[in-house]
Amino acid sequence: MRPSPTFREATRDDLPQIVALLADDGLGATSETPGEALPEYYVRAFEAIADDPRNAVIVAEVDGEIVGTLQLTYIPSLTCLGGERAQIEGVRVATDQRGHGIGQAMITWAVEQARARGCRMVQLTTDRRRPEAIRFYQKLGFRPSHTGMKYHLNET
């Protein structure tokens, strides 16, 4: 039987492994720049997240090895009776660890964190080109209730 993952806030030292996880799929491979010597923009982004009490990068570990990551952001809102919502972003599980319940454990953990904080809603997005991810999130109770749109400012 595989051990269950444990969760903790990421540290700066975890950043190369986190970026490698983000790049470890077809879409991430085209948009991320993994390596031990990371570009400074990753460090700046990580420090901004770490300094923000409404944000956290989380890593999942099994036997001391990072096997997954996600970002959890708490967003104050006037909608939903002024309730706070939790946004889950950047969910990744190491390729060789997929299919062992780690992703489900990560999302369940994040939802429980939001519930304990009193959030009224948990939301996430996933790229339409990831049909397996869409099915996975639906299996966990997420519903495609809205149409999400993105406007990328750095595209020409």
Side-chain angles (χ1 to χ4, degrees):
M1 181 164 178
R2 294 180 83 83
S4 297
T6 58
F7 304 99
R8 64 173 174 80
E9 280 198 48
T11 67
R12 166 67 182 85
D13 291 340
D14 298 325
L15 196 51
Q17 291 173 279
I18 292 167
V19 174
L21 284 170
L22 295 174
D24 187 24
D25 70 15
L27 297 178
T30 63
S31 63
E32 305 301 341
T33 311
E36 282 303 314
L38 292 174
E40 185 62 26
Y41 48 79
Y42 286 118
V43 175
R44 282 192 309 268
F46 181 82
E47 289 173 352
I49 294 165
D51 289 344
D52 182 345
R54 293 188 178 275
N55 259 299
V57 175
I58 304 299
V59 292
E61 292 182 319
V62 172
D63 294 329
E65 176 188 350
I66 294 175
V67 296
T69 189
L70 62 80
Q71 181 176 341
L72 188 56
T73 303
Y74 298 104
I75 305 167
S77 177
L78 291 174
T79 61
C80 294
L81 305 174
E84 195 172 53
R85 62 185 64 205
Q87 172 81 24
I88 301 172
E89 284 285 325
V91 178
R92 297 292 191 288
V93 174
T95 301
D96 65 344
Q97 299 292 321
R98 293 179 188 155
H100 299 292
I102 292 168
Q104 181 173 343
M106 288 170 48
I107 298 301
T108 300
W109 180 88
V111 168
E112 288 306 314
Q113 298 303 300
R115 182 175 282 118
R117 188 175 167 112
C119 291
R120 294 191 180 270
M121 177 188 309
V122 177
Q123 62 189 29
L124 55 78
T125 62
T126 191
D127 196 291
R128 288 183 203 168
R129 295 171 288 180
R130 290 187 165 119
E132 302 85 15
I134 293 168
R135 284 191 297 276
F136 168 75
Y137 292 126
Q138 287 178 326
K139 182 182 91 172
L140 296 178
F142 287 84
R143 298 290 170 248
S145 60
H146 291 67
T147 299
M149 297 184 197
K150 304 216 182 219
Y151 188 93
H152 291 274
L153 299 173
N154 59 348
E155 292 182 356
T156 55

